[in-house]
Amino acid sequence: QYTKDGKVTCGENALLTLSTKQPGDIFAKTIKIRGDRTLYSNNIISKCDSDGLIRCGWGFTETGRYTSYKCAFGTGSNLQNITSAMRSMFIPDATFNGTPDNDYEILLEGDGRQAEAMYVGWASGDEKLINAFLNNEDVHKLSASFVFGVPPESIKKGSVERFVGKRIRHSGNYDVQAQTCAEAYNKDASGYGYSLVNAKITKGWLKKFHEHNPCLKNVYHKETQQMLTRNKTIETEFGRRIVFFDRLGVKLNMAGYAFRAQAFVGD
């Protein structure tokens, strides 16, 4: 693919764009290899500290999300990118808190259960989605049922249908367009061995999703656009503000949709 200045590139963005134009095994395998290579260089061969422990530096993005990176002296890594398959590399410290050989040392992962989707549902006033959360339903299965026209209970956990539902839920919440949605989907799908798709397919998925979620555009997106049009400022429910300096338009609106949900969850 050619860049704006006429140079040829095979970077990840170029591969993802090409993968949506001509989906095929070669792109899926190449994208996966690039991802595995990055995990290997950034995580698997990371240096531990002199005491045998691995650590990382912590920071925050503008939305309040955590970000992690190597420590100041080059040890550690971005520990947020550890995949499920890689977790077996890590062993809990048996001497933690001065209790050697404690059989109860374990590793825990804390995560908000579909937290951003939950926020958007409440902010949209979407009663169907709110009731699904209150009834402890799998919202990504619900999203998949909209896309494929099947009952949510027929969709299995770990299936490609639920995978689609999860990606379309996130893309729909933030009004991601079909091409960008296809590229993001293909990047994740390549790691799971799922078939890649083009923008025409994701456009159809998004159309069906929005037909079943009218509150999203009519309330959440419209409300956010009004905030940005007024003074380009969004304030979270916890009182934290962000002022945007980009020009009004689709790109700024998408940034606003994402900030509201991600900042609320981060706060």
Side-chain angles (χ1 to χ4, degrees):
Q1 188 178 34
Y2 289 96
T3 61
K4 291 181 180 179
D5 56 2
K7 295 180 180 179
V8 178
T9 176
C10 281
E12 183 177 73
N13 290 337
L15 287 172
L16 290 170
T17 300
L18 291 170
S19 76
T20 65
K21 297 179 179 179
Q22 190 68 40
D25 289 344
I26 185 63
F27 290 113
K29 291 176 180 177
T30 304
I31 294 168
K32 185 178 187 306
I33 289 171
R34 286 178 61 92
D36 290 344
R37 187 175 63 189
T38 300
L39 286 173
Y40 176 79
S41 60
N42 290 353
N43 298 99
I44 293 178
I45 59 173
S46 300
K47 294 180 180 179
C48 293
D49 288 324
S50 58
D51 58 1
L53 299 181
I54 189 164
R55 300 177 175 86
C56 68
W58 289 101
F60 295 93
T61 66
E62 67 275 7
T63 65
R65 277 187 167 189
Y66 284 116
T67 178
S68 64
Y69 39 81
K70 280 186 177 182
C71 296
F73 295 101
T75 59
S77 67
N78 177 358
L79 294 180
Q80 288 179 293
N81 283 345
I82 302 301
T83 65
S84 298
M86 295 168 62
R87 290 174 193 162
S88 60
M89 299 191 308
F90 298 89
I91 302 171
D93 183 13
T95 61
F96 180 72
N97 253 359
T99 55
D101 301 321
N102 189 332
D103 293 336
Y104 295 96
E105 299 290 351
I106 60 174
L107 293 173
L108 294 176
E109 177 187 20
D111 191 16
R113 180 179 174 271
Q114 301 171 3
E116 290 179 23
M118 189 177 293
Y119 171 83
V120 173
W122 255 271
S124 302
D126 189 334
E127 292 186 6
K128 180 166 44 178
L129 186 58
I130 291 171
N131 288 330
F133 279 119
L134 292 175
N135 294 325
N136 204 33
E137 297 176 23
D138 188 326
V139 173
H140 299 319
K141 288 185 179 181
L142 181 64
S143 302
S145 72
F146 299 152
V147 172
F148 297 105
V150 297
E153 56 271 16
S154 68
I155 298 171
K156 297 180 180 179
K157 189 171 184 178
S159 65
V160 65
E161 290 80 11
R162 187 184 182 279
F163 180 84
V164 170
K166 182 175 182 179
R167 269 67 190 174
I168 292 300
R169 168 65 62 179
H170 291 313
S171 295
N173 283 350
Y174 303 147
D175 203 23
V176 174
Q177 302 304 298
Q179 178 63 32
T180 305
C181 178
E183 292 175 11
Y185 176 89
N186 287 352
K187 181 177 180 178
D188 292 338
S190 62
Y192 288 90
Y194 297 141
S195 298
L196 306 190
V197 299
N198 56 36
K200 184 178 180 179
I201 292 176
T202 54
K203 184 177 181 180
W205 288 347
L206 288 167
K207 183 175 183 294
K208 292 178 180 177
F209 173 81
H210 283 297
E211 286 174 353
H212 287 86
N213 295 269
C215 292
L216 194 54
K217 284 185 175 292
N218 295 337
V219 180
Y220 185 69
H221 290 173
K222 186 176 181 180
E223 188 180 79
T224 305
Q225 291 170 23
Q226 291 172 343
M227 294 178 186
L228 294 170
T229 302
R230 190 180 306 120
N231 53 13
K232 293 187 179 180
T233 301
I234 290 180
E235 183 174 341
T236 72
E237 286 77 358
F238 292 96
R240 186 158 61 85
R241 292 182 180 179
I242 185 171
V243 179
F244 293 93
F245 294 97
D246 202 354
R247 66 181 64 185
L248 294 173
V250 174
K251 183 179 178 182
L252 180 62
N253 291 338
M254 290 172 60
Y257 308 145
F259 175 81
R260 287 184 65 187
Q262 293 174 10
F264 179 85
V265 173
D267 290 345

